[in-house]
Amino acid sequence: MITVFYFILFLISIVIVAIIPWGLIYGYSNIMAKLLHNVLKYRVKVTRSNLRLAFPEKSDAELAVIEKQSYQNLADISVEALKGFTMRNSAIRERHKILNPELLDYYYNQKQSIIGVAGHLNNWEWGALSAGIQLKHHPVAIYKPLSNKLIDWFIKWNRSIRGTELVPTNQTFDTFQKYKHKPCIYILVADQSPSNLSKAYWINFFNQDTACIHGPEKYAKMYNYPVIYIDIKRVKRGYYTVELSVLCDKPNELQDGELTAAYMHRLEQSIRENPENWLWTHRRWKRKRPQKAQLS
């Protein structure tokens, strides 16, 4: 019953947000940001600690500005995610515009699948919408399922009607096998902490010894798929551009861990350009390196 109750609330929220104009949506987002930051103090200690570690050169005043803006970013993404469920395809193209989809045409014409890597930077949620509308490859987004099965089902269904297939992480291997003869773009938002440290790559990320997910490199090398970096930038509120670039064309020619390091270093560059737009509320540096791991 609790699962059904939250699912109904979720649907009601989508309907309410759908009929509210964009201007009012961001008015609500402003309130939400202040509530999260100043009243509920949602993960403020974690955010503050992360920012101090990442930017030791910045003053307390500078960090305070980034901290405040990061909660506004979080609130904006939250309301935009709800709005995205009912947006028209034309609005998605306009508001989450892929600048250079033709970069992937060569691979598509060769019936070559690719792996796209992104971070929790700006509005990554709309990526599951825009990919299916603007790319020729079949988009397959690897994700962690929600505990509420009804909400999880709805999100998968909504993404599928836009052309993007959501695949749970525990089905990653089977999905790569299933589509090995079909040109797909496997989308992985891979900047979170890994659950399995024994397989993690350890990378210098913001001058911190950081455990990184092994999946993108594992499957890139297993199938020798090119890896594309997905750089999402906010133009203004509710409008984003997506620029694609080749991170690695021949992953099997790289040393172990080199591809993961290239991805994390490229992501760090993107974050440093607008640090307030990354998800600083997660405990990115909570894990410590096992003695046998090597720094990349």
Side-chain angles (χ1 to χ4, degrees), residues 20-30 83 95 237:
I20 297 176
W22 283 99
L24 291 180
I25 285 290
Y26 288 118
Y28 171 73
S29 178
N30 292 342
K83 193 76 168 176
R95 290 177 172 272
R237 259 183 158 178

Side-chain angles (χ1 to χ4, degrees), residues 195-209:
S195 57
N196 189 344
L197 282 187
S198 66
K199 297 181 179 180
Y201 288 106
W202 289 85
I203 308 299
N204 189 322
F205 180 61
F206 278 100
N207 300 311
Q208 307 301 314
D209 198 15

Side-chain angles (χ1 to χ4, degrees), residues 19-151:
I19 62 178
I20 297 176
W22 283 99
L24 291 180
I25 285 290
Y26 288 118
Y28 171 73
S29 178
N30 292 342
I31 297 171
M32 181 180 175
K34 289 182 173 60
L35 181 66
L36 288 171
H37 187 207
N38 300 326
V39 180
L40 299 177
K41 297 188 181 298
Y42 173 71
R43 296 194 176 184
V44 167
K45 291 183 179 179
V46 173
T47 299
R48 206 161 282 171
S49 174
N50 284 340
L51 288 171
R52 287 197 183 104
L53 288 172
F55 303 106
E57 75 282 0
K58 293 186 181 295
S59 67
D60 289 344
E62 290 173 313
L63 293 177
V65 171
I66 297 173
E67 178 184 316
K68 179 181 178 181
Q69 292 175 340
S70 73
Y71 279 90
Q72 187 63 72
N73 174 68
L74 177 60
D76 280 4
I77 292 171
S78 299
V79 296
E80 287 170 1
L82 287 174
K83 193 76 168 176
F85 286 109
T86 55
M87 284 168 60
R88 295 181 178 181
N89 287 355
S90 57
I92 293 169
R93 289 191 187 95
E94 181 184 5
R95 290 177 172 272
H96 208 259
K97 183 178 181 180
I98 301 178
L99 298 177
N100 56 338
E102 69 281 356
L103 179 73
L104 308 184
D105 285 352
Y106 169 78
Y107 303 111
Y108 183 80
N109 293 335
Q110 299 295 316
K111 297 183 178 180
Q112 171 74 71
S113 289
I114 53 181
I115 293 175
V117 290
H120 289 88
L121 182 65
N122 291 303
N123 193 329
W124 70 89
E125 288 283 353
W126 281 359
L129 304 175
S130 61
I133 296 170
Q134 301 181 62
L135 299 179
K136 295 178 181 178
H137 284 79
H138 173 57
V140 178
I142 310 299
Y143 83 113
K144 184 178 180 180
L146 300 177
S147 58
N148 188 306
K149 302 301 182 184
L150 290 175
I151 296 177

